[in-house]
Short mmCIF file of all heavy atoms in Angstrom, two decimals:
data_model
loop_
_atom_site.label_atom_id
_atom_site.label_comp_id
_atom_site.label_asym_id
_atom_site.label_seq_id
_atom_site.Cartn_x
_atom_site.Cartn_y
_atom_site.Cartn_z
N ASP S 111 45.51 33.39 -14.61
CA ASP S 111 46.70 34.23 -14.37
C ASP S 111 46.59 35.55 -15.14
O ASP S 111 46.96 36.61 -14.63
CB ASP S 111 47.99 33.48 -14.72
CG ASP S 111 48.02 32.92 -16.16
OD1 ASP S 111 46.97 32.88 -16.83
OD2 ASP S 111 49.12 32.54 -16.60
N ARG S 112 46.03 35.49 -16.34
CA ARG S 112 45.90 36.72 -17.13
C ARG S 112 44.89 37.67 -16.49
O ARG S 112 45.06 38.89 -16.49
CB ARG S 112 45.49 36.37 -18.57
CG ARG S 112 46.51 35.45 -19.25
CD ARG S 112 46.05 35.06 -20.63
NE ARG S 112 45.98 36.22 -21.53
CZ ARG S 112 45.38 36.20 -22.70
NH1 ARG S 112 44.78 35.10 -23.12
NH2 ARG S 112 45.35 37.29 -23.45
N LEU S 115 46.66 39.24 -13.51
CA LEU S 115 47.61 40.27 -13.97
C LEU S 115 46.87 41.54 -14.37
O LEU S 115 47.31 42.66 -14.05
CB LEU S 115 48.42 39.75 -15.17
CG LEU S 115 49.40 38.61 -14.89
CD1 LEU S 115 49.89 38.00 -16.19
CD2 LEU S 115 50.57 39.11 -14.04
N ASP S 132 53.73 38.66 -19.63
CA ASP S 132 54.15 37.64 -18.66
C ASP S 132 54.96 36.57 -19.40
O ASP S 132 54.42 35.75 -20.14
CB ASP S 132 52.91 37.01 -18.00
CG ASP S 132 53.29 35.98 -16.94
OD1 ASP S 132 54.44 35.49 -16.95
OD2 ASP S 132 52.43 35.65 -16.10
N ALA S 133 56.29 36.61 -19.20
CA ALA S 133 57.18 35.67 -19.89
C ALA S 133 57.41 34.45 -19.01
O ALA S 133 58.38 34.38 -18.26
CB ALA S 133 58.50 36.36 -20.26
N GLY S 134 56.46 33.52 -19.07
CA GLY S 134 56.54 32.28 -18.31
C GLY S 134 56.62 31.10 -19.26
O GLY S 134 57.33 31.18 -20.28
N THR S 135 55.91 30.02 -18.97
CA THR S 135 55.86 28.88 -19.88
C THR S 135 55.43 29.38 -21.25
O THR S 135 56.04 29.08 -22.27
CB THR S 135 54.82 27.84 -19.39
OG1 THR S 135 55.06 27.58 -18.01
CG2 THR S 135 54.90 26.56 -20.19
N CYS S 136 54.35 30.16 -21.25
CA CYS S 136 53.94 30.90 -22.45
C CYS S 136 54.23 32.38 -22.21
O CYS S 136 54.35 32.80 -21.06
CB CYS S 136 52.44 30.72 -22.69
SG CYS S 136 51.97 29.02 -22.99
N ILE S 137 54.30 33.13 -23.28
CA ILE S 137 54.37 34.59 -23.13
C ILE S 137 52.96 35.11 -23.41
O ILE S 137 52.39 34.83 -24.47
CB ILE S 137 55.38 35.21 -24.12
CG1 ILE S 137 56.75 34.56 -23.91
CG2 ILE S 137 55.46 36.73 -23.90
CD1 ILE S 137 57.78 34.95 -24.95
N THR S 138 52.41 35.79 -22.42
CA THR S 138 51.08 36.34 -22.63
C THR S 138 51.16 37.87 -22.64
O THR S 138 51.97 38.47 -21.93
CB THR S 138 50.10 35.89 -21.52
OG1 THR S 138 50.70 36.13 -20.24
CG2 THR S 138 49.77 34.41 -21.65
N GLY S 223 57.05 37.32 -14.94
CA GLY S 223 57.26 35.92 -15.29
C GLY S 223 58.71 35.48 -15.05
O GLY S 223 59.59 36.32 -14.79
K1 LIG D 328 52.54 33.49 -18.91
#
Side-chain angles (χ1 to χ4, degrees):
D111 55 347
R112 301 177 65 193
L115 292 167
D132 182 342
T135 311
C136 298
I137 304 172
T138 50

